[in-house]
């Protein structure tokens, strides 16, 4: 007997969050109350895994002769449900900590989820790491008797009615393992009946890798389906197994099952879940696949077997070629693991590509959920090409923002004169479409990928190339290469009377004077069709969106580099400015007009830094224009067919 054991019963209070959770669980009637059976079995299975693991590593464990099993006993007369395992058990301190006094981060999250309407589904409790407490949905009193696998530890008993407190007593004559006796509530009698319990086990726990007995009968199948040849496994078995291993209610979107023999022997079964819990704000504790070595689960969340950009995958990898004592630390460096990992990545990526080709609808569903994570793979140098094949984007040739295309499709339909893959970023498809920087591509029928997710700013430039084509932001593309490409609407405005280039060049220099350092330079545009001016990035700078992101992430980042202002000499606004300039090179009105124009293109560019200054400059421009219009005749008339916006706003007929 130890000091602790000679003590009288000890009383503990549940941690506040745990009490709150228990309160909710005991006072509401949930539809899936039977999940408590799954949670208890799953805890037993984890505890048994730990014994098996110690055993294969040759570490001492108490009562080593006991078979690794789970037993369930029902007593209809006394209305009890009892589960007994020969697992690793708990020491005094583990018991106090694990069950009651430490609130795991999941506790509060789960309480929150239950509180939200339409979300009264306790099914997910296991995912939050608080599965044990589900026992209080069915039990009015719970008694745990446990003895740790540590040979020097005595046994303990834990009792609680789930109402705020629990009690711990010493327990005599206990063997390694844990027994949980649940005195069922009146309204939960069904769980003392064989039929209901068996049904629940079949539903949730068929794949538990240890035998579950009710009386003398083993009620689960224990099938390591990943070791079976594919032809032996039915679709439903895969689906069931996924639900079991991933704690999820939905069927998986797709799965990949294969075994390899040479040069390395291993089995792999990987699933893609329908929902991405990360998107719903869940943590990543659940990530990783089950790693088995010689039938022993050595890591239930092996995170290094797949790269982070495939972390949504769930499943099993088993190899008999790995050492049993492989630890998380040595996993990464193990040469076999590296080989397995590379084979699995390749096979998994090509499987996803096959889904994209053969089942585009399923693929779209996959992409919506996991695409954002997959995109992080752009920097996996070794598998870059394969990863990039999976990416989907919206583009100027898509009917709406819902349609998405892959990079291969883009390359296939590139214009023969086009050398680069073009993309353009903005907050939305609408914003991108109204940006003058891509007018020329629209006019010439050249496809531009629209990227609206901030991560794309890293992804596409990060890829640099795809199928030997450079990837470039459209505002930095070298459009001189596209000179020969005819405009699609044939409105080639080359013949249109544009002012003399030399004159416009002078105006450009004057505009640069007025704007100073705010622009890198002002030049005549080759890309503008309908708009008077645009801001574009200089071809050696980062793309504009990227700069915005860098600024958002780091306030001290270098200020965005000044952009190039391109002006459209064929546009009435520029032509009129030229007229004013030619009359008076220092015209104060010209300065205000330039400020106004600059403000408007800044808005389109999404780079407004000082809205107050901008509003003031626009208002100054308005007053001046009004004064001029009222006192004198208009300074000039629009020389061209295209109406300036002011004209369109003519008073409506009454
Ligand atoms: P989770 O299993 O997700 O960790 P639970 O609330 O179900 O969360 O269980 C809390 C902890 O209690 C477990 O992590 C484990 O340490 C311990 N535990 C529960 N059941 C058993 C058992 N049958 N044998 C040994 N330890 C157990």
């Amino acid at each position: 007997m130890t000091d602790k054991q000679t003590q009288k019963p000890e009383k503990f209070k549940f941690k506040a969050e745990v009490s709150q959770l228990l309160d909710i669980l005991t006072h509401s009637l949930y539809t899936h109350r039977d999940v408590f059976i799954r949670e208890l079995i799953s805890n037993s299975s984890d505890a048994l895994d730990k014994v098996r693991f110690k055993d294969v590593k040759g570490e001492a464990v108490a009562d080593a002769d006991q078979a690794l099993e789970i037993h369930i006993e029902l007593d209809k007369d006394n209305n009890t449900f009892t589960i007994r395992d020969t697992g690793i058990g708990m020491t005094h301190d583990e018991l106090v900590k694990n069950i009651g006094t430490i609130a795991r981060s999941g506790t509060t999250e789960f309480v929150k989820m239950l509180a939200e309407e339409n979300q009264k589904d306790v099914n997910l409790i296991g995912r939050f790491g608080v599965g044990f407490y589900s026992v209080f949905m069915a039990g009015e009193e719970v008694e745990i008797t446990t003895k740790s696998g540590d040979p020097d530890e005595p046994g303990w008993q834990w009792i609680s009615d789930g109402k705020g407190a629990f009690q711990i007593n010493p327990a005599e004559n206990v063997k390694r393992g844990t027994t949980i006796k649940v005195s069922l509530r009146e309204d939960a009698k069904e769980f003392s009946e064989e039929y209901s319990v068996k049904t629940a086990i079949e539903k949730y726990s068929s794949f538990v890798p240890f035998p579950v007995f009710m009386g003398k009968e083993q009620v689960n199948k224990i099938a390591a389906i990943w070791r079976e040849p594919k032809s032996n496994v039915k679709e439903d078995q895969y689906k069931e197994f996924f639900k079991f291993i991933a704690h999820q209610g939905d069927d998986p979107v797709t799965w990949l099952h294969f075994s390899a023999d040479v040069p390395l022997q291993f089995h792999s079964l990987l699933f893609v879940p329908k929902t991405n819990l990360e998107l719903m704000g869940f943590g990543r504790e659940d990530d990783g696949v089950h790693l088995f070595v010689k039938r022993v689960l050595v890591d239930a969340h092996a995170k290094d077997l797949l790269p982070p950009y495939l972390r949504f995958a769930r499943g099993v990898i088993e190899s008999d070629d790995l050492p049993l004592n492989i630890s998380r630390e040595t996993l990464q460096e193990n040469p076999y693991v590296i080989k397995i990992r590379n084979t699995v990545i390749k096979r998994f990526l090509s499987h996803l590509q096959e889904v994209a080709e053969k089942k585009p609808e399923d693929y779209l569903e996959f992409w919506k959920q996991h695409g954002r994570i997959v995109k992080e793979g752009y920097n996996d140098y070794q598998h870059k090409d394969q990863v990039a094949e999976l990416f989907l984007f919206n583009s100027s040739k898509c009917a709406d923002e819902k349609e998405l295309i892959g990079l291969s499709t883009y390359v296939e339909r590139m214009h023969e004169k086009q050398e680069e893959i073009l993309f353009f970023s903005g907050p939305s498809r609408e914003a991108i479409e109204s940006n003058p920087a891509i007018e020329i591509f629209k006019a010439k029928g050249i496809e531009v990928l629209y990227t609206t997710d901030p991560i794309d700013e890293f992804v596409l430039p990060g890829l640099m190339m795809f199928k030997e084509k450079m990837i470039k932001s459209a505002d930095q593309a070298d459009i001189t290469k596209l000179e020969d490409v005819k405009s699609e609407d044939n409105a080639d405005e080359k013949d249109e009377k544009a002012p003399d280039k030399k004159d416009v060049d002078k105006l450009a220099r004057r505009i640069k004077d007025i704007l100073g350092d705010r622009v890198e330079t002002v030049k005549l545009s080759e890309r503008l069709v309908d708009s008077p001016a645009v801001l574009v990035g200089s071809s050696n700078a980062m793309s504009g969106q990227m700069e915005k992101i860098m600024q958002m992430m780091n306030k001290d980042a270098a200020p965005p580099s000044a952009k190039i202002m391109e002006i459209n000499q064929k546009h009435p606004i520029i032509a009129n400015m030229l007229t004013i300039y030619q009359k008076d090179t220092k015209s104060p009105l010209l300065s205000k007009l330039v400020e106004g124009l600059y403000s408007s293109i800044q808005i389109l560019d999404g780079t407004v830094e000082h809205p107050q200054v901008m509003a003031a400059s626009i208002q100054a421009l308005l007053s001046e224009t009004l004064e001029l219009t009222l006192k004198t005749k208009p300074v000039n008339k629009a020389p061209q067919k295209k109406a300036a916006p002011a004209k369109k706003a003519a008073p409506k007929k009454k």
Side-chain angles (χ1 to χ4, degrees):
M1 275 216 181
T2 67
D3 291 349
K4 274 180 196 153
Q5 262 198 315
T6 53
Q7 287 162 14
K8 285 186 202 129
E10 295 171 90
K11 291 214 157 119
F12 295 89
K13 273 198 177 135
F14 285 117
K15 180 100 182 174
E17 291 93 315
V18 175
S19 270
Q20 200 188 352
L21 171 62
L22 288 173
D23 197 52
I24 297 175
L25 288 175
T26 47
H27 287 103
S28 328
L29 197 62
Y30 293 101
T31 38
H32 295 294
R33 280 201 298 181
D34 54 355
V35 299
F36 88 89
I37 298 178
R38 174 187 69 194
E39 294 306 321
L40 296 186
I41 292 180
S42 147
N43 282 346
S44 288
S45 172
D46 290 348
L48 288 163
D49 265 324
K50 287 179 189 152
V51 174
R52 181 142 79 182
F53 192 44
K54 270 188 183 298
D55 197 36
V56 293
K57 284 204 297 184
E59 289 173 21
V61 52
D63 306 310
D65 55 329
Q66 292 191 112
L68 301 182
E69 289 170 358
I70 299 169
H71 290 263
I72 290 174
E73 281 138 33
L74 307 176
D75 183 341
K76 239 167 129 176
D77 301 334
N78 294 308
N79 200 22
T80 60
F81 169 103
T82 304
I83 177 168
R84 177 164 59 82
D85 65 62
T86 48
I88 198 70
M90 284 173 273
T91 63
H92 174 275
D93 294 350
E94 282 166 349
L95 197 51
V96 174
K97 261 197 277 172
N98 292 341
I99 306 191
T101 58
I102 289 216
R104 300 166 182 230
S105 60
T107 324
T108 330
E109 281 172 46
F110 187 62
V111 166
K112 223 170 83 194
M113 192 200 93
L114 285 182
E116 274 165 27
E117 234 152 328
N118 313 327
Q119 290 262 30
K120 294 248 181 268
D121 188 359
V122 289
N123 208 354
L124 285 174
I125 191 164
R127 165 178 310 290
F128 292 83
V130 288
F132 170 78
Y133 300 113
S134 62
V135 70
F136 285 102
M137 290 191 296
E140 55 188 14
E141 189 180 80
V142 177
E143 185 189 310
I144 304 174
T145 313
T146 186
K147 184 183 174 314
S148 162
D150 183 339
D152 301 328
E153 281 286 334
W156 297 99
Q157 185 199 44
W158 176 107
I159 303 180
S160 177
D161 59 4
K163 297 195 181 99
F166 61 90
Q167 184 178 317
I168 289 190
N169 304 310
E172 304 271 358
N173 300 325
V174 197
K175 284 199 161 179
R176 185 202 73 225
T178 303
T179 303
I180 300 176
K181 182 172 165 195
V182 187
S183 302
L184 295 162
R185 295 169 17 169
E186 264 312 295
D187 63 9
K189 270 197 153 82
E190 62 199 277
F191 301 118
S192 66
E193 281 162 26
E194 202 175 297
Y195 176 76
S196 317
V197 175
K198 247 191 189 166
T199 312
I201 296 176
E202 273 161 21
K203 180 154 109 195
Y204 298 122
S205 309
S206 321
F207 293 100
V208 171
F210 297 93
V212 179
F213 288 98
M214 284 176 70
K216 288 210 160 14
E217 186 195 355
Q218 182 179 334
V219 284
N220 65 326
K221 308 178 230 203
I222 327 184
I225 62 168
W226 60 93
R227 297 179 72 110
E228 303 270 322
K230 256 183 359 191
S231 52
N232 284 7
V233 190
K234 297 200 186 72
E235 189 161 321
D236 279 349
Q237 280 177 293
Y238 281 120
K239 290 180 180 170
E240 255 183 73
F241 180 68
F242 165 72
K243 289 175 191 171
F244 166 74
I245 202 167
H247 304 286
Q248 301 215 0
D250 292 328
D251 286 341
V253 184
T254 178
W255 59 86
L256 169 70
H257 181 191
F258 74 95
S259 298
D261 278 321
V262 203
L264 208 73
Q265 176 281 332
F266 70 92
H267 307 280
S268 160
L269 173 54
L270 297 176
F271 297 90
V272 175
K274 193 164 268 173
T275 31
N276 182 341
L277 291 152
E278 219 175 288
L279 286 186
M280 295 163 65
F282 287 84
R284 283 160 59 174
E285 302 83 51
D286 256 16
D287 284 357
V289 297
H290 285 53
L291 173 65
F292 281 86
V293 175
K294 302 187 180 87
R295 299 205 154 230
V296 178
L297 178 64
V298 298
D299 191 348
H301 300 285
K303 294 196 167 73
D304 295 317
L305 287 175
L306 289 175
Y309 65 89
L310 297 178
R311 62 180 176 271
F312 53 85
R314 296 286 180 272
V316 177
I317 292 176
E318 168 156 12
S319 172
D320 293 348
D321 289 345
L322 294 175
L324 268 161
N325 59 0
I326 194 157
S327 69
R328 283 192 186 170
E329 293 70 42
T330 54
L331 198 65
Q332 277 167 302
E333 284 121 49
N334 184 295
Y336 289 122
V337 170
I338 295 170
K339 278 200 188 118
I340 292 178
R341 189 180 136 109
N342 276 328
T343 312
V344 173
I345 295 176
K346 278 207 186 74
R347 292 286 295 259
F348 196 54
L349 292 175
S350 49
H351 176 75
L352 290 175
Q353 201 183 331
E354 205 179 301
V355 177
E357 279 156 22
K358 294 190 180 148
K359 294 181 175 170
E361 276 163 31
D362 286 0
Y363 188 76
L364 208 59
E365 193 177 350
F366 156 78
W367 185 253
K368 275 190 217 139
Q369 288 293 320
H370 309 292
R372 201 145 186 219
I373 291 177
V374 176
K375 281 191 214 161
E376 293 173 21
Y378 75 89
N379 59 10
D380 178 353
Y381 187 74
Q382 211 179 339
H383 306 100
K384 206 171 83 157
D385 295 342
Q386 257 191 303
V387 178
E389 288 278 4
L390 298 176
F391 295 172
L392 295 183
F393 299 100
N394 190 234
S395 96
S396 53
K397 294 214 169 149
C398 296
D400 55 32
E401 75 276 356
K402 288 199 198 89
E403 195 184 328
L404 301 173
I405 62 153
L407 289 173
S408 283
T409 309
Y410 181 96
V411 170
E412 273 161 33
R413 55 196 203 198
M414 266 167 79
H415 194 283
E416 54 179 6
K417 294 255 164 59
Q418 187 187 349
E419 291 174 10
E420 295 165 335
I421 296 174
L422 301 175
F423 72 95
F424 197 69
S425 297
S428 66
R429 178 178 165 97
E430 241 181 350
I432 296 173
E433 296 236 283
S434 58
N435 195 312
I438 61 164
E439 267 172 12
I440 177 111
F441 305 108
K442 275 200 268 179
K444 292 187 187 256
I446 286 176
E447 186 163 24
V448 176
L449 296 170
Y450 292 168
T451 54
T452 48
D453 183 349
I455 187 185
D456 297 331
E457 279 299 323
F458 299 91
V459 172
L460 286 173
L463 278 179
M464 295 220 309
M465 302 263 276
F466 179 76
K467 298 208 167 148
E468 287 160 34
K469 312 272 184 218
M470 289 292 286
I471 301 176
K472 271 244 164 117
S473 177
D475 65 337
Q476 294 171 334
D478 180 1
I479 39 179
T480 54
K481 290 184 188 146
L482 298 174
E483 252 162 26
D484 295 346
V485 182
K486 278 236 161 56
S487 284
E488 281 195 331
D489 55 5
N490 260 336
D492 240 327
E493 290 167 45
K494 284 235 163 78
D495 315 330
E496 222 173 291
K497 238 189 96 213
D500 190 64
K501 191 173 171 307
K502 271 191 214 139
D503 293 342
V504 191
D505 271 336
K506 280 186 200 149
L507 173 66
R509 255 171 288 169
R510 175 68 193 134
I511 295 176
K512 163 72 181 152
D513 274 353
I514 295 168
L515 294 175
D517 288 344
R518 285 175 286 170
V519 291
E520 184 187 303
T521 163
V522 178
K523 65 181 194 192
L524 272 56
S525 184
E526 302 287 340
R527 79 178 73 230
L528 290 172
V529 181
D530 294 324
S531 302
V534 68
L535 288 172
V536 298
S538 66
S539 58
N540 46 17
M542 264 188 253
S543 85
Q545 282 287 323
M546 176 82 109
E547 282 189 334
K548 264 180 256 166
I549 292 167
M550 303 293 268
Q551 290 259 303
M552 258 162 26
M553 292 195 310
N554 175 11
K555 288 256 173 324
D556 301 328
S561 43
K563 292 196 160 186
I564 297 171
M565 176 172 177
E566 292 190 1
I567 55 175
N568 179 1
Q569 67 212 70
K570 287 177 231 151
H571 194 281
I573 291 183
I574 302 299
N576 284 341
M577 279 185 172
L578 181 59
T579 314
I580 299 175
Y581 172 74
Q582 283 168 337
K583 275 193 188 152
D584 172 6
T585 56
K586 292 262 144 50
S587 159
L589 175 62
L590 180 64
S591 304
K592 291 192 181 115
L593 288 168
V594 168
E595 291 290 348
L597 180 63
Y598 179 68
S599 296
S600 72
I601 59 177
Q602 255 191 312
I603 293 175
L604 285 172
D605 191 51
T607 47
V608 179
E609 264 181 86
H610 305 293
Q612 300 83 351
V613 178
M614 179 180 285
S617 100
I618 294 172
Q619 283 160 11
L621 181 65
L622 287 175
S623 343
E624 187 117 351
T625 320
L626 282 170
E627 261 169 49
L628 276 167
T629 319
L630 294 176
K631 276 191 210 148
T632 63
K633 284 198 225 160
V635 194
N636 56 338
K637 54 183 172 22
Q640 299 205 345
K641 61 176 186 197
K642 260 172 206 148
K647 269 195 176 172
K648 276 188 192 151
K652 276 185 227 148
K653 272 188 219 151
K654 282 202 179 135

